Amino acid sequence: MSGPNDPAEVAAPELLDAAGREAEKAFAEAADLAELAAVRAAHLGDRSPVLLARRAIGGLPAEVRSAAGRRVNEALATIQAWYEARHAELTRLRDSVALRAEAVDVTLPWDRRPVGARHPLTTVMERMTDVFVAMGYDVAEGPEVETEWHNFDALNFKRDHPARSMMDTFFLEPESAGLVLRTHTSPVQVRAMLERGAPPIYVVCPGKVFRTDELDATHTPVFHQIEGLVVDEGITMAHLKGTLDHLAEVMFGAGLRARWRPSYFPFTEPSAEFDVECFACRGGSVGNPDRPCRTCRSEGWIEWGGCGMVNPRVLTACGIDAERYSGFAFGMGVERAVQFRHGVDDMRDLVEGDVRFTLPFGSEV
Amino acid sequence: MRVPMSWLRELVALPASLTAREVAAGLVRLGLEVERVEEIGAGLTGPLVVGQVAGFEELAGQKKPIRWCQVDVGEERPRGIICGATNFATGDRVVVALPGAVLPGGFAITARRTYGYVSDGMICSARELGLGDDHTGILVLGECADPGADALAELELPDAVLDIAVTPDRGYCLSMRGIAREVAHSLDLPFADPVERLAVERLAVERLAVERTAAAGADPVLPPGWPVRIDDPIGCDRFTAWTLAGLDPSATTPVWMRRRLLLSGMRPISLTVDVTNYVMLELGQPMHAFDRASLTGEIVVRRAVSGEMIKTLDGVTRALDGDDLLVSDVAGPIALAGTMGGASTEIGPFTTDIVLEAAHWSPPTVMRMVRRHKLPSEAARRFERDVDSEVALPALRRAAALLAELGGATDAGLTVVGSPYPRPHIALAAGQPGRLAGRVIPPAAVMRRLTEVGCQVEGEYIFTVVPPSWRPDLADPADLVEEVLRLEGYDAIEAALPAAPAGRGLTARQRAGRAVGRALAAAGYVEVINYPFVAEQRYDDLGLPADDPRRTAMRLANPLSDQQPLLRTTLLPGLLEALARNVGRGNRDLALFETGLVFRPGPEFVPAPRVGVGGRPDPAELAALDRALPAQPRRVAVVLCGQREPTGWWGPGRPAGWADAVQAARTVAGASRVPVSVRADPHAPWHPGRSAAIFVAAGTDAERLVGHAGELHPGVIAAFDLPPRTCAMELDLELLGVGDVPVAPTVSAFPPALLDVAVVVDDAVPAGEVEAALRAGAGELLESVRLFDRYADPDRLGPGRMSLAYALRFRAVDRTLTVQEASQAAQSAVAEAARRTGAVQRA
Ligand SMILES: [Zn+2]
């Protein structure tokens, strides 16, 4: 038998082999990180067989030294790798036990911070406004208590004409003040033309308007409109049609037909009311009692708003050369848009402010 | 305007197969709003026959009159029928539904036992047949086919009625003549104007009168009628009158005319009234009949003089205004022009001689009278929209002919004074309609369309167009363009997008407005949109002092509810009512917000000037218009009550409190990028000890108060019936403004130095001031300061003392701070707090 310093014995393959096997076994038997730490010194510590062998290599004859060194290093690297693999495995094991112990019931509610919502009239109005902003329009605003001149006179509503009394106007006291609650957002168009002066003018005017209708399922004395006005050289009814088609497509989807019916507004000439094909049934409910449509009441069309070419008298009253410029204007009720876009049957729901009605609409529609 | 199809067919040669719905669709395409199509006599099946009352017996002992009638229905023996009406006599012809008939609404007629007799059929009222609402008695036919004849044919049943909403520009469509013209256009059918036919027809009554004049040795012309003078040609440019004598007061209106009146929504009254109404429906010209025997001297058209009175047909005595246009005679006013006749010349049941008036009244004049005297009528509705200025005479002749034929009137005399205003000559470039439509419309088509509507058109490239007398709405080239495009069809117009200039998107203020709404919604508030109408009482309920500017509110002249005549000067009343409404519906934990305008009139009343529309008003006029308006700032407000955070499995909840309201103000300010500061400020409607004023640019020359927040005063909570401790905030968004574009901070990568300091202050010292002092004293190394503890402990701190503990965080941009640097800065922060607030540092 040879002693430890025997060059033949130092780093003998059998010896390294045995050390490796013992290390592997010891590491594998370590049940947790603490046991692994406890057996580490015996196999990778200073007094471990492999490190003792490495220290002894220096005393070997030159001709065997490098081969022995290589063997020892390989053995050491292997044991080290076994150790690390086991260490990683035991760490994972420890962690998974700990995390399992921290498990919670993820289905518990957390409605601790109450949520709010914006009114669908606000968000739908913004949505419609944004369609025009994307086309390059400015957003114009104006007062809600308005002069009769802005609300009527400048828009070619003559005094003592039935068109003026048809508007169901709220007048302010004293009546000599000449003030009304605006009956439409058109006075904002007048203001836009007066403020901007020279065309091109592309504005959209969203806002609140007032008529003396009692509140019921289909009427409210305070409602919202969105109006558009374009004044430029060479503006035609074709431009009006294209613009309204675009809005309908954005709001209700592509491929819906539009229908125009001639109508009368003092501030546009020619004037039309425009309907959009019902986006819900696409006309399929007409004369088809088996498939009634709530959205269009089985009429196939949704009345959507009024429009027309700006009456040259209005341009003139606002200081715009009606010979050189033409324009179009259109307007629609936001309540209607909300009602048929979101299936609101009763106008009162939009008015009363019940949080149960508004909350599902969230902050954007 | 209610349009019976049977009448329409008399005026336009409609194909027999054309349904009322198809006619309606054509009218809609041309811009007439057909509100509905009523099927008359739908479901009505015979046998329905003409019957003649052979006699009857009034049954005694009944609660209401009941007649047991013997009715000849063309059979061998009369049938016995029970009838509850009394408006008929023996010999009258009536409509009898025989057993087996079914009336509208599925009402089946059988022979049935009642009042002790077997009633072998039913005598029908107009309403039972679906001919209008009249159920004051049964329908008496007058002259008609013999007993046993088919009553359905006699009554032209079934029929249909188009109910058309006429826009204010199309007064001519308030007549069968006008509607028939539009129907012809819509179907491309020829149209024969009944007025043109009248113009060439020589009426029998006229021939007789001329013959009688000639026989008396005078010129063979129509003799002059009642003398008439127009003193006010502005109010009346044409007055025609027909004098008729020898009218048979017992003459009744034939059933065909009554039927048309009923279907048109008018009640038959007497022959004279029915004829004037019938001609008004047919030709659009309202007329008025004066009792000739009650007239005294010349008829004069003039304005009223102050102090004059008239008793109108409705029995009301009215004081007249100097703007009222009158028909008067020597004795005084006899009619409000175009509005209502006077009682003194009213025709009665024995009137035989009448003066029939048909005039053209100025629309604004009539409209003002209607408004002043609150006297809307079918006649006034037509005059307000303007009546064909040339139709008075043809209509008068038509009425005279009917009265002569149906009422036996013999004598005749005609008065025609005034001359209708000349019609405009409008220059229209032939290419203009096409240019506006964005497509080519050949000049020939333009000319054809304008001629179709009755215009005279001359010229080749620039047309000179004279609109017809019934189209006073055609005054500008644009009006003519509309006619052309309407008749060509809007469907023919293509779709294209205009090339808008490159846009700038929303303004900073508009973006901030949206950001405020989103921030509040994200903070748990639900938006409501309230009416701006407020009850006067609400300003008391808010506990506002007598001189509070919020009490100065604008008042509606015609509020929907007398309870709410004022416009809001603050958003709070509406929001608090919405809160109470929600609470009433069982929603308990609530946070609401609203943004909107409030209306704050200035101290003095400035009426808006009358400004013309012939061109851009001058700057002084525009400024004067705007000065008449109240200030209308946009505001935002929140109200909240109940639990701000609910109780849950995590532990107890937290009630909404004043601090939430103040924080809502900070949330709004943050969304607008405007730093604000908060100070205690007792202010209605808040709890005096829990009311915060919100300031912008505090401590600078630009300092401004932008609103208040806190818990509401218990009195206000009681007055609005709100849950205890309800809180509120209201800010003026115009005053708040929008902050500058944010400048990026320098973010230091060096470690911070964290130091806590605790100070003791008198508990009257606001924490906000202590924090401001710490910030000021700490210098620029201070990164943040945060109050993390606050308590009172009289034993340890002394009574009325408060401990405030702050976490200070220091950091330099260019180096790691030394402990010494940080504690020096903290000490100078505490020193400044001591100087400003008397704060004493705790060990
Ligand atoms: Zn539908």
Side-chain angles (χ1 to χ4, degrees):
Chain A
M1 296 301 281
S2 52
N5 290 325
D6 180 346
E9 289 295 308
V10 170
E14 308 79 49
L15 190 120
L16 291 173
D17 220 31
R21 271 196 310 277
E22 274 168 38
E24 186 185 6
K25 181 161 178 283
F27 292 161
E29 281 169 359
D32 56 30
L33 288 170
E35 285 183 34
L36 184 66
V39 299
R40 182 181 184 276
H43 304 284
L44 283 167
D46 288 350
R47 308 290 307 160
S48 64
V50 184
L51 283 176
L52 288 174
R54 184 155 79 178
R55 235 179 306 176
I57 285 169
L60 293 180
E63 65 274 16
V64 293
R65 199 189 296 153
S66 74
R70 205 162 43 243
R71 280 200 305 278
V72 169
N73 281 342
E74 278 168 9
L76 188 60
T78 306
I79 294 170
Q80 183 72 38
W82 281 331
Y83 171 78
E84 279 165 15
R86 183 60 179 159
H87 187 272
E89 192 179 342
L90 288 175
T91 303
R92 264 198 310 278
L93 193 66
R94 178 202 63 187
D95 287 355
S96 76
V97 169
L99 292 179
R100 207 174 304 131
E102 289 178 10
V104 295
D105 177 358
V106 297
T107 67
L108 286 171
W110 193 253
D111 50 353
R112 195 167 178 174
R113 268 199 76 205
V115 291
R118 292 200 300 158
H119 200 283
L121 285 170
T122 304
T123 41
V124 167
M125 191 152 66
E126 284 181 5
R127 178 82 189 91
M128 289 164 70
T129 302
D130 288 346
V131 175
F132 293 99
V133 171
M135 287 194 278
Y137 289 49
D138 287 344
V139 180
E141 290 153 305
E144 290 171 6
V145 170
E146 188 53 285
T147 69
E148 289 196 55
W149 187 86
H150 286 94
N151 195 73
F152 291 128
D153 297 24
L155 290 160
N156 193 36
F157 284 85
K158 298 186 179 71
R159 281 174 196 275
D160 304 318
H161 190 272
R164 192 141 160 168
S165 53
M166 271 174 58
M167 293 293 268
D168 302 327
T169 310
F170 282 110
F171 292 92
L172 287 146
E173 280 192 352
E175 292 195 55
S176 60
L179 299 183
V180 298
L181 281 174
R182 68 180 180 199
T183 56
H184 46 184
T185 44
S186 309
V188 184
Q189 302 185 3
V190 172
R191 289 179 176 276
M193 283 189 271
L194 288 169
E195 275 160 27
R196 283 164 177 76
I201 295 170
Y202 289 74
V203 291
V204 62
C205 324
K208 207 177 263 187
V209 301
F210 308 84
R211 308 250 178 110
T212 56
D213 289 321
E214 296 279 354
L215 174 65
D216 63 24
T218 52
H219 297 88
T220 163
V222 182
F223 55 103
H224 297 75
Q225 278 189 339
I226 183 158
E227 291 202 3
L229 169 75
V230 165
V231 182
D232 206 343
E233 283 179 332
I235 293 296
T236 72
M237 276 182 105
H239 293 135
L240 174 55
K241 212 170 212 185
T243 302
L244 292 174
D245 284 355
H246 179 67
L247 176 69
E249 180 171 335
V250 175
M251 294 302 291
F252 305 114
L256 293 170
R257 289 180 301 147
R259 180 174 79 171
W260 286 30
R261 292 172 286 122
S263 189
Y264 169 72
F265 309 109
F267 43 96
T268 51
E269 190 88 69
S271 305
E273 295 198 54
F274 57 99
D275 307 338
V276 181
E277 190 178 24
C278 174
F279 61 89
C281 70
R282 295 197 171 230
S285 66
V286 181
N288 190 350
D290 302 338
R291 271 187 57 198
C293 179
R294 208 172 70 132
T295 304
C296 66
R297 288 193 213 95
S298 299
E299 285 174 8
W301 297 95
I302 295 165
E303 287 182 22
W304 177 221
C307 65
M309 302 303 289
V310 182
N311 192 315
R313 285 175 187 251
V314 174
L315 296 178
T316 303
C318 297
I320 290 172
D321 180 356
E323 294 285 313
R324 179 171 168 197
Y325 298 104
S326 56
F328 65 70
F330 56 84
M332 46 230 138
V334 182
E335 273 76 3
R336 274 198 69 71
V338 172
Q339 281 190 300
F340 57 68
R341 192 168 187 256
H342 299 285
V344 180
D345 288 331
D346 196 322
M347 183 70 83
R348 285 171 285 220
D349 285 334
L350 292 171
V351 171
E352 287 170 347
D354 193 312
V355 295
R356 292 167 301 167
F357 173 80
T358 308
L359 273 169
F361 289 95
S363 263
E364 284 298 333
V365 293
Chain B
M1 179 74 191
R2 292 172 53 87
V3 178
M5 280 296 290
S6 52
W7 195 350
L8 193 60
R9 287 182 186 278
E10 185 182 285
L11 295 163
V12 195
L14 298 177
S17 62
L18 201 68
T19 65
R21 288 190 180 279
E22 286 165 328
V23 172
L27 287 175
V28 167
R29 267 198 310 281
L30 284 192
L32 277 96
E33 199 182 322
V34 183
E35 291 193 317
R36 63 209 165 110
V37 177
E38 259 171 60
E39 303 290 346
I40 305 299
L44 177 62
T45 55
L48 207 69
V49 297
V50 173
Q52 181 158 13
V53 181
F56 59 83
E57 167 194 344
E58 200 99 34
L59 297 187
Q62 306 298 333
K63 280 185 196 140
K64 49 176 190 166
I66 297 293
R67 289 177 175 182
W68 167 241
C69 310
Q70 298 304 315
V71 185
D72 173 6
V73 293
E75 296 164 345
E76 228 165 87
R77 299 158 50 93
R79 292 199 184 211
I81 297 173
I82 287 287
C83 182
T86 57
N87 65 322
F88 60 92
T90 300
D92 276 352
R93 292 198 174 168
V94 296
V95 179
V96 179
L98 297 179
V102 180
L103 298 188
F107 180 27
I109 305 298
T110 54
R112 62 192 181 97
R113 199 166 179 84
T114 178
Y115 296 103
Y117 293 96
V118 174
S119 184
D120 201 9
M122 188 176 98
I123 306 178
C124 302
S125 72
R127 188 163 73 165
E128 280 154 352
L129 297 169
L131 293 169
D133 284 335
D134 194 2
H135 58 108
T136 51
I138 54 126
L139 182 64
V140 178
L141 291 173
E143 224 169 283
C144 70
D146 288 335
D150 181 8
L152 285 174
E154 200 69 15
L155 294 170
E156 295 182 78
L157 287 173
D159 200 349
V161 172
L162 312 181
D163 194 353
I164 301 175
V166 175
T167 53
D169 58 327
R170 295 198 190 279
Y172 71 99
C173 284
L174 291 173
S175 68
M176 290 301 301
R177 175 201 184 200
I179 297 285
R181 176 182 290 280
E182 291 289 322
V183 168
H185 293 334
S186 74
L187 300 166
D188 249 330
L189 294 171
F191 176 64
D193 190 339
V195 169
E196 279 169 28
R197 210 167 54 225
L198 272 170
V200 295
E201 236 168 23
R202 196 77 173 139
L203 305 178
V205 64
E206 290 169 329
R207 274 200 311 273
L208 279 172
V210 172
E211 281 163 19
R212 203 174 305 132
T213 324
D219 289 342
V221 293
L222 207 55
W226 201 268
V228 176
R229 193 177 84 227
I230 299 176
D231 278 0
D232 192 310
I234 301 287
C236 176
D237 59 352
R238 167 56 59 94
F239 193 112
T240 68
W242 200 291
T243 318
L244 284 167
L247 209 55
D248 173 7
S250 70
T252 55
T253 309
V255 71
W256 65 265
M257 184 182 285
R258 276 186 289 147
R259 177 186 176 282
R260 287 184 175 180
L261 291 171
L262 283 168
L263 288 181
S264 301
M266 302 200 88
R267 207 159 52 86
I269 292 166
S270 69
L271 178 65
T272 310
V273 174
D274 291 350
V275 164
T276 55
N277 281 337
Y278 181 79
V279 176
M280 174 179 78
L281 292 172
E282 185 182 51
L283 301 179
Q285 171 71 52
M287 276 175 273
H288 183 68
F290 297 99
D291 176 14
R292 198 162 89 172
S294 312
L295 285 172
T296 328
E298 188 183 34
I299 288 179
V300 179
V301 175
R302 61 173 173 85
R303 300 278 163 172
V305 290
S306 68
E308 261 187 306
M309 312 282 276
I310 187 172
K311 188 176 177 192
T312 40
L313 285 177
D314 53 0
V316 178
T317 301
R318 300 168 189 273
L320 297 173
D321 183 280
D323 182 49
D324 286 336
L325 189 66
L326 299 179
V327 182
S328 65
D329 67 4
V330 170
I334 54 172
L336 285 171
T339 310
M340 190 176 268
S344 67
T345 54
E346 183 178 5
I347 54 169
F350 308 110
T351 302
T352 54
D353 299 356
I354 61 169
V355 173
L356 196 59
E357 161 227 296
H360 185 235
W361 306 110
S362 136
T365 300
V366 172
M367 177 139 181
R368 287 197 297 271
M369 279 196 288
V370 167
R371 222 166 28 212
R372 205 154 33 229
H373 298 292
K374 301 196 168 53
L375 272 179
S377 67
E378 284 294 317
R381 195 155 74 95
R382 287 171 172 80
F383 286 123
E384 281 174 358
R385 285 160 174 75
D386 209 352
V387 166
D388 182 347
S389 58
E390 305 277 8
V391 84
L393 185 54
L396 193 66
R397 295 179 63 228
R398 171 81 167 131
L402 284 168
L403 284 173
E405 180 192 332
L406 302 171
T410 51
D411 190 17
L414 177 64
T415 310
V416 177
V417 292
S419 45
Y421 294 119
R423 283 180 256 148
H425 288 57
I426 307 165
L428 175 73
Q432 179 66 4
R435 254 197 312 283
L436 218 59
R439 71 187 187 93
V440 175
I441 301 175
V446 173
M447 183 176 266
R448 182 167 72 87
R449 293 305 188 184
L450 292 175
T451 310
E452 257 176 35
V453 298
C455 295
Q456 295 159 27
V457 188
E458 278 169 22
E460 241 178 287
Y461 299 105
I462 307 287
F463 293 142
T464 301
V465 182
V466 180
S469 57
W470 61 87
R471 295 298 303 268
D473 61 305
L474 303 182
D476 292 339
D479 305 323
L480 301 177
V481 168
E482 175 172 68
E483 286 305 294
V484 173
L485 299 188
R486 172 174 88 91
L487 294 173
E488 286 284 302
Y490 285 174
D491 291 347
I493 294 165
E494 305 280 318
L497 279 174
R504 293 160 180 274
L506 300 179
T507 63
R509 212 178 57 80
Q510 288 161 350
R511 287 198 308 276
R514 291 187 180 188
V516 165
R518 289 204 190 94
L520 286 173
Y525 291 87
V526 178
E527 185 174 21
V528 293
I529 301 177
N530 294 302
Y531 293 170
F533 311 129
V534 183
E536 202 143 19
Q537 172 66 30
R538 283 314 194 190
Y539 295 117
D540 293 335
D541 293 343
L542 287 176
L544 303 184
D547 60 347
D548 192 296
R550 283 170 292 180
R551 282 185 180 273
T552 309
M554 306 206 71
R555 185 179 289 269
L556 290 170
N558 55 336
L560 274 186
S561 152
D562 290 338
Q563 305 301 310
Q564 297 189 315
L566 302 183
L567 293 190
R568 65 188 179 191
T569 56
T570 150
L571 298 177
L572 292 179
L575 264 177
L576 293 174
E577 284 166 14
L579 192 77
R581 198 154 51 234
N582 269 286
V583 170
R585 293 177 177 187
N587 307 324
R588 285 186 309 182
D589 304 325
L590 292 159
L592 307 180
F593 83 98
E594 178 172 17
T595 61
L597 305 191
V598 300
F599 307 91
R600 306 292 290 268
E604 37 188 314
F605 164 64
V606 191
R610 279 233 174 182
V611 175
V613 292
R616 184 190 172 89
D618 64 43
E621 285 176 319
L622 287 176
L625 283 170
D626 279 344
R627 261 200 311 279
L629 295 175
Q632 302 176 50
R634 183 170 294 276
R635 290 193 166 193
V636 60
V638 309
V639 294
L640 63 169
C641 66
Q643 296 274 95
R644 176 70 164 135
E645 287 174 19
T647 298
W649 60 269
W650 53 79
R654 181 175 72 73
W658 62 269
D660 292 304
V662 177
Q663 187 59 24
R666 292 195 186 95
T667 300
V668 169
S672 307
R673 298 194 307 271
V674 177
V676 289
S677 45
V678 173
R679 266 182 237 155
D681 177 22
H683 183 75
W686 283 274
H687 182 312
R690 297 181 172 190
S691 168
I694 315 295
F695 288 92
V696 169
T700 72
D701 290 346
E703 174 176 297
R704 56 191 189 273
L705 174 67
V706 296
H708 284 87
E711 184 180 310
L712 289 173
H713 192 291
V716 176
I717 289 171
F720 280 85
D721 201 11
L722 303 169
R725 306 283 176 201
T726 295
C727 297
M729 175 283 283
E730 183 170 27
L731 285 187
D732 186 317
L733 288 168
E734 317 289 345
L735 287 173
L736 183 69
V738 181
D740 297 331
V741 174
V743 175
T746 308
V747 176
S748 168
F750 290 93
L754 308 176
L755 280 169
D756 293 348
V757 297
V759 295
V760 176
V761 292
D762 198 281
D763 64 7
V765 172
E769 281 178 28
V770 176
E771 185 182 315
L774 290 172
R775 278 183 193 281
E780 60 184 16
L781 293 177
L782 183 73
E783 187 175 83
S784 69
V785 54
R786 186 162 185 282
L787 177 70
F788 69 87
D789 192 22
R790 175 180 184 271
Y791 68 91
D793 182 346
D795 294 342
R796 286 169 56 204
L797 304 175
R801 304 286 285 168
M802 184 68 71
S803 166
L804 301 170
Y806 289 91
L808 306 181
R809 173 187 280 254
F810 297 95
R811 188 156 15 201
V813 293
D814 55 350
R815 65 192 188 283
T816 301
L817 290 181
T818 64
V819 172
Q820 200 187 7
E821 279 176 303
S823 54
Q824 249 171 26
Q827 275 323 302
S828 70
V830 171
E832 184 63 18
R835 194 181 69 75
R836 290 195 194 177
T837 68
V840 179
Q841 185 170 17
R842 291 184 61 220

